[in-house]
Amino acid sequence: MINLFNIIPILLQAQTVSPSGVKERLLEGIFNVNINNFLVLSGLLFVIGVAGVLTRRNVIVIFMSIELILNAVNINLVAFSRYWFLQSEGKNAYMGEIFTIFVIVVAAAEAVVGLGIVIAFYRNKETVAVDEIDLMKW
Amino acid sequence: MLEYLFFFTAPTWFSSLPILKDYIDPMVLDYLVWPLVQIGLLLFVVLTLVAYLTLAERKISAWIQVRIGPNRVGPEGLLQPLADGIKLLLKEDLIPLKADREVFIIAPIIAMVAALVALAVIPWGAAWATISNIDIGLLFILAVSSLGVLGIILGGWASNSKYSLLGALRSAAQMVSYEVAMGLALIGALMFTKTLALQDMVITQERLHIWNILFQPLGFLIYLISGIAETNRAPFDLPEAESELVAGYHTEYSGFRFSLFFIAEYANMLIVSAIAVTVFLGGWYLPGLSYLFTPGSTFFVLASIGVFGLKTLALLYLFFWIRWSLPRYRYDQLMELSWKWMIPAALANIMLTATFLVLGQELALIVSQNNMLEISTLGYVFLISTAFIVTVPLTWIMLGQINKNSRDFNLREVQPLPMNRTINK
Amino acid sequence: MTEITDITHPEIDTNEMILNMGPQHPSTHGVLRVALKLDGEVVTDLDCDIGYLHRGVEKICEHRNYQMIAPYFDRTDYIAAVSNGLCYVETIEKALALEIPLRAQYLRVILTELNRLSSHLLWLATHALDIGAVTVFLWAFREREELLKIFENFFGARLTCHAFRIGGMTYDAYDGFQAEVKDFCDRFPKRLEEYETLLNTNRIWLSRTVGIGIISADAAIDIGLTGPPLRGSGVEWDIRKAHPYECYADLEFDIPYGENGDTYDRYLVRMEEMRQSRRIILQALEKLPDGPIMAPKAPKVVKPSIGEYYHSIESPKGELGIYLVSDGSTQPTRLRIRPPSFINLQALRQMSIGHLVADVVAIIGTLDIVLGEIDR
Amino acid sequence: MKLVGLEAVLFYLLAVVAILFAIFMITARSAVHSALLLISTLVATAGLYLLVHAEFVAGVQILIYVGGVLVLFIFVIMLVNAKEEDNKMFTRQLLIGGALTFFLGLGIIAILLQTQKGNFFTLASPAPPKIEQAQNNPNLSPSHNISQNTIKIGQELYTKTVLPFEIASLVLLVAIIGAVRLARERKQEKIYD
Amino acid sequence: MDLIWLIPILPLLGFLINGLLARRFNFSEKLVGGVAVATVFLAFVLSVTAFVNYSAWSKQPENQAKPYISKTLNYTWISGGKAFISSNTTPITPENSLVDLNIQWAYQIDHLSVLYALFVTFVGLLIHIFAIGYMHGQTGFGRFFAYLNLFMFMMLTLVLGSNLLMTFVGWEGVGLCSYLLIGFYMTHKEAAEASKKAFIINRIGDLGFILAIIGVFSTFGTLEYQEIARLVQNYPVEALGTFGIMSFIALGLFIGATGKSAQFPLYIWLPDAMAGPTPVSALIHAATMVTAGVYLLARMNFVFQRSLVMMLIIAIIGSLTAFVAATIAITQKDIKKILAYSTISQLGFMFLGCGVGAFVAGVFHVITHAFFKAQLFLGAGSVIHAMNNEQDITRMGGLKKYLPITHKTMVVSWLAICGIAPLAGFWSKDEILAKTFSTTLFHPAIGKMLWFLGFLTAGITAFYMTRLMALTFWSEQKFLGQTASDGGEEESNQEANKNIDQKNDGGSFKIRAVTPSTTNTEAISNTTEATTNDIGSFNIEESKDKAERINLNPPIVSALVADPKESPSIMTLPLIVLAFFAAVAGFIGLPVGYNWIETWLSPVINSFTLHAFGTVDIILALVTMAWSGTMAYAAYHIYVKNPHIAEDLAIKLKPFYQLSTNKWYWDDLLDVKLASLINKFNDLLGEADKHGVDAIPNGSALITRGVSILSGSMDRYGLDLLVNLTGWFTRAGSVLVRTFQTGFLNNYALVMVVGLVLIIIGLEYQAIQELYSQYFPAIPKIIATPAPK
């Protein structure tokens, strides 16, 4: 009988031997989805977030980029949480996830206050572009 | 991941269907075919149901308003939903010139998807009649339904129309506010079921031989009111108040996109009712049902689906009834109702429920172990009587005191009009 | 059209938004455009833009014979056509100093009061609809339908009812008219109670109407409000009592008046007025004498003597007055209508400022305006 | 921790979606589009959380992040009525920022790949612990077993980390009050003062 | 018995109800009082049941001498992770010195704390009832009872806490409540300052307590009493002359106890604390809070017993305090101040008892003292109430016939405090004295000396208490018709003057009797001589009105009433009950036969002066009693029979009299003398500066002037160039730096990212180099030295 679910694993479980060069290492990483892949993903999202902060003019979009950075961190935390769950047989396994929840909470608080400032600012200056916000007072 | 999404394997009669058994691997049957069959069946039933809910609403409103209602298309107007559907499909699909095209297109889809995804975890019946019974069932539904507001808000914004934007902003504020009260209202019941998984909630109620509404009358009331507000139904239909905002967020929508919003609204009603039934009214559990059929048997499951459906339909009828008999709240009153009444009441409900639970444990009427409650007969009496005699009046009095100075809910005493009987100038 | 003035303090910067309500809007009761100046959802200022339905009735009247003018009045306040017709006819009769027979008077009273009922029912329907109570709308239309059937039998028309002539009436009541009206009046109180069960103590209805659109008695008099809006503010002013016309002096009825001048009081006033109208109708039916329906001295060619005449009646909306300048010819030199809706509408701004958009809807409803009358 | 089979496919699907939408997000011209794309990224991330059996976090992510924070963002965007940005392409900022982030990315990837060479990630993964069997009820499907993730997180959250939890609540409270104070209009202040 | 957690929580509930809701919903006084009394009453009932249950429970063999820890409301309050401690076993290894810093929030009862809980709730209950009558009609009624209830909660937490930190919470809490309640009349300057004083002086003690807690933790690795009691067995007794860790802990604890129990150097706050309402004085500053120090001593007796030095210090300080406070009390005029000093003196007795190792006797005295002192305070309150807020006993007299119940009950307590057998005070005080006399801890001579001091104090106590009773109740009636300004003796101290000044501040009127319906004609004639007759009476009425209206001020106007009325029954009832207990409470600690309290407390406190009761004790007791009786009679003779003797004596013994009225100059020393000393020292320094040191600069100035001419020219042409150059560089540099401060957010973020990149490159250069060198050969390779393992 055909088991649809076994085809893909077979395809993906092609192990490379002795990862010595960069290419091999990359290949090995790609075919074994482990914590490293999560970390790379998280790193990429982080970098994208940083790029957003650096290049955008709209304060709100900058805020969103910061949320993206925090989200990248969260991926890290959750991945490590799972990793430790398996490594330590369940001891302290949920701390990463709990920390993630705290990060989300703090992100929410940050967004609330930040957006409050944006609204207050917009009411005075009618703009949300950072390059027009260059004075400490108005 | 898949085994987490689909916890339920196919019933034995399904796996033993001759055609399937011979040609398909049992694992594929369990994880792929059966869920797909379930999903397909559910979507078909729910969408048909939604369509007929519109008909039901028109018929019921007609009865309430001493009219006849649709009666031309098909026998007794039974084909009316079909005709409506065809009409909506064939209508011209307008996108305003200044609208944000992408968002305009995607908004109704978000609303619709958010409404339909939530159907996945609702326990429609015992055993195999549920697609998925996940650990975070209730949280999942709250999360997904919080996505629904995105559809509305984006649709309103993308239309680039003042009425739409106002409607969208109103509805966003309204849904966000009432979501708080709704979530809090459920917590009281969670203290009794001790799980977020919806099927397990029903099982708990079955095990305790009770409907949670008896423990949680206040929670149910708050949930129902918040649920009505959450689905933007009268008397909370501010986002689409036709006397003020024409049609609110979907003013600029027409044709099929409009019908997506429409279906989402009715599907949301269905979900709210289903959750109310699951959490407060015992889900598919009916006392005595297990005497009629063997638990777990196919007939039992079918009967449980029927019970669940009847309960849900009864609540849906309540929705219609309320809509056609009450006037509409004003916007600030609506917010006031949420923040000054519903949320404090829900908080008080949580506090009092917790107090009585702890008290019950102290008095050895209730035993809590292994994430389960064991309640003695006296415990039932204690919990139910405190819920009705203490929690409801106490909350009422407290809120009355707190909101003593509230502007809108302290109406002057209504006096009979004075009459002039003598004047004759 | 008045200029939208800035009533907010100049030092406060707010995000203002101009919202155009109408001219095509479900709750403006016709083609009325209300320009709302909003701060959030709070109305800081508003302006009414009228004239979308202007037909120049007053001007047309200057070029018509007195008999030819009468039907135009059915089309000003088309909801209360009978009252309008009555007002015109009485003005001319006053100018001619005509005495009309008693039976005609009683029939006129019955018909105008029935018309008042019909108008108030329509008001109730739309007012409730504006506030969101859809069912009341259809229930009120059920009763209105019965009334319209009577009208159709009597006048041959449902909306533009026209049966009054200068000097009396064109035709007498049809057979069974009294029985039908009696029948309706017997059924009516129960129906009224039904509406009141649905609304009177409904918390939502109360919170939408109590304290909304308050106007004090002084302010109401200053603006010139008449009818239920005036009585809702506590002024006991009803032309039927103050300057009785027709046979109102012989009939017993009360004038309800409010205390707080808010929407809820106006609602109660109108509901009570419906009861009082029913009382009048029953009395009139009882007293209805036999006799001619047309004054024998009624002239064929109407030529009022030179002078200025003013006559007003209590229409369902308020004081409906006609100011007539006659030069002795068969056509009026000037005919000016004092439409109650037009003047009542002036209170909208004062009532609405500080309230929310949703309240504006309720307030328009409570003013009970008809655009045909406002624009003329 | 190793994901194989369909899980691996799902991982790559979600990861690609997350990264692509993140890139689209920072390049979108309209703020509303940015928000929408960010929502997509966050939902994809929630999917990733599901993949590593962090169901509760996934739910919270959608409930709070998407349903709460992002709705707030969109709300504010609509309030301030942000115009579309005229992206001055190749401004100095864009150039420097792009170059820097490029280097940052290279650095991070280098670190990650370098550490992979050591034995940090090649520890043998023991079999995942058995999920507890639920109560034996004929009305549940025979293979019914349910993750204990929420229960465990709840237990840890209210025992070990109860102090941070309370602090987080306080932070939220302060944030709410602060935001209300910040966003209140002067006229409202006048009314309430 | 598991409901003991409710004992403190119930008053907390009362506090929450009264504190949060009373004002908002305008609770009636009955409701407020009812809530407060009901919660305390329930707590009392629970204490009784806990007492009964616990005595049964602890008799079971497996529970012998163990405290019962409540399972409800028991959780890890502070979980601090791992911490190193110095050691709790002799061989110090990393394993046994690493402990979990987990501090429980748990309520426990054992023999000591249940006893404390019993009398705290009981006395508290009675005082609550009394306060309903006393505080009637004052604003802040709800606030007052909320504070009282909060105090009860804190006191019970202090007593029932299972570890030092919980005790500390209660400790600080009662301090807070004391502060709040002393300053209850917050618009009254004196009260506000007294509350501040009490608070600040208590902080000195608290510092010691905190240090002791830290010491205990770093030594034993736990704060649970049970654990400490177990672990302390590993430590040797530190003999006289050695000062080890036990002594340090004991010193810290003792400093804490000194502050709270108003012992010698730190006692000055307690007399001032009498500015609070009288029930507060009775509850907090006589019966319960101030005995917390003794509780701490008894609770940690195992630690104290391991440091003989500290025992000696405690004994000495205790006896000194007792003596000094008693001598001060002789000459005081304010009825509450006398009682305050008496309290200090009695606390000194308790400390003395603890110091000589008789902890049981100390605790015993705490209990008896609680009854009779609370009774005395409440009696005083009743008197003050009747006298319309007059507190000066020299203006009272002859109240016996007006206040029969108050008088009778106070007589009982008077006898008790004087140590007349068989009332309560006799048993406890004489037990302390007997234990002191025969102590074996120190050299016998020390014990004898301490005993003698205590013996003297006992007599003085009898003297001043008799004086108080005499001047208040028995002597000639003095209050009728007297004006405030000419009342009192010529040598009235500053306090009294201040009072009078304040009274005269109000409206420059003379206070006089309002109703002439008295028999004392002399008084009336005095009154009529007084000027502004009508205005005076008017002003009194007005000021009464005002006082009622504002009511936050204690009505400072003491309109000397002609006809003092006995207090209402709600106030006299507690008096009677307390008097009863003041009479009989001593029987729980009979030295002969069955000494119940010693037996009861033996699992908690193992006193090591197990001195058998003998004839010496009987003789001592008889001597003490005779001495007290003599002194009492002397006082009676002086103040009732021949009032002129008092003035004669005051003149004759002027130095002693001065010493006493001025409170041994201790306050002055702190407040005035110390400050003036510092000022004088400053002046001295200033003089020295002006005359001695200034000569040097004057001389050098001449030289400088000469040199400056020389250097000026050099400066102008040489150094200015350098300065200008610096300026120029700065300006040039600022052009560069200024460009960085653009004010643009992105630029700042950019700098952050630059830093991030640099950090990554710096930290992981090798990794980057290795990975990218094949693509970018230009990346230089750094050979890192491998880190030593």
Side-chain angles (χ1 to χ4, degrees), chain E residues 450-469:
Chain E
L450 290 173
W451 173 82
F452 184 66
L453 217 51
F455 172 73
L456 278 181
T457 312
I460 298 169
T461 307
F463 184 85
Y464 69 72
M465 284 313 295
T466 316
R467 172 175 174 264
L468 185 146
M469 293 299 286

Side-chain angles (χ1 to χ4, degrees), chain B residues 106-118 140-156 168 171-172 175-176 179 230 232 249 261 264-265 268 271, chain D residues 39 62-63 66-68 71:
Chain B
I106 213 166
I109 299 173
I110 291 178
M112 172 87 176
V113 166
L116 290 186
V117 166
F140 178 82
I141 287 190
L142 288 179
V144 167
S145 62
S146 74
L147 286 183
V149 70
L150 277 173
I152 289 174
I153 202 173
L154 288 172
S171 106
M175 287 173 84
V176 168
E179 207 165 76
E230 189 74 1
N232 295 333
Y249 57 88
F261 273 127
E265 181 181 329
N268 273 329
I271 289 162
Chain D
I39 287 168
I62 291 184
L63 186 67
V66 183
V71 168

Side-chain angles (χ1 to χ4, degrees), chain D residues 42-54:
Chain D
L42 293 177
V43 171
T45 316
L48 286 171
Y49 293 161
L50 280 181
L51 212 55
V52 289
H53 301 303

Side-chain angles (χ1 to χ4, degrees), chain E residues 689-755:
Chain E
D689 192 33
K690 201 179 286 174
H691 300 298
V693 187
D694 277 9
I696 305 167
N698 287 342
S700 61
L702 277 173
I703 308 166
T704 313
R705 202 179 294 160
V707 176
S708 64
I709 296 166
L710 212 109
S711 69
S713 54
M714 211 162 90
D715 196 25
R716 200 168 297 152
Y717 304 109
L719 282 172
D720 274 10
L721 194 69
L722 276 177
V723 175
N724 288 340
L725 213 64
T726 316
W728 184 82
F729 267 119
T730 312
R731 202 186 294 165
S734 72
V735 174
L736 197 75
V737 180
R738 202 163 50 209
T739 51
F740 282 103
Q741 196 180 357
T742 54
F744 293 128
L745 197 69
N746 299 45
N747 288 9
Y748 298 140
L750 199 70
V751 176
M752 280 161 65
V753 176
V754 168

Side-chain angles (χ1 to χ4, degrees), chain D residues 92-93 96-97 100-101 103-111 113-114 117 160, chain E residues 76 79 746-747 750-751 753-754 756-757 760 764 766-768 770-772 776:
Chain D
R92 203 170 47 175
Q93 180 74 31
I96 301 172
L100 262 175
T101 44
F103 282 123
L104 191 65
L106 284 183
I108 287 174
I109 288 168
I111 292 169
L113 290 181
Q114 181 66 18
K117 204 178 72 174
K160 279 188 192 167
Chain E
T76 305
S79 94
N746 299 45
N747 288 9
L750 199 70
V751 176
V753 176
V754 168
L756 196 59
V757 170
I760 284 176
E764 297 290 337
Q766 209 177 352
I768 293 167
E770 202 174 304
L771 192 72
Y772 298 119
F776 304 103

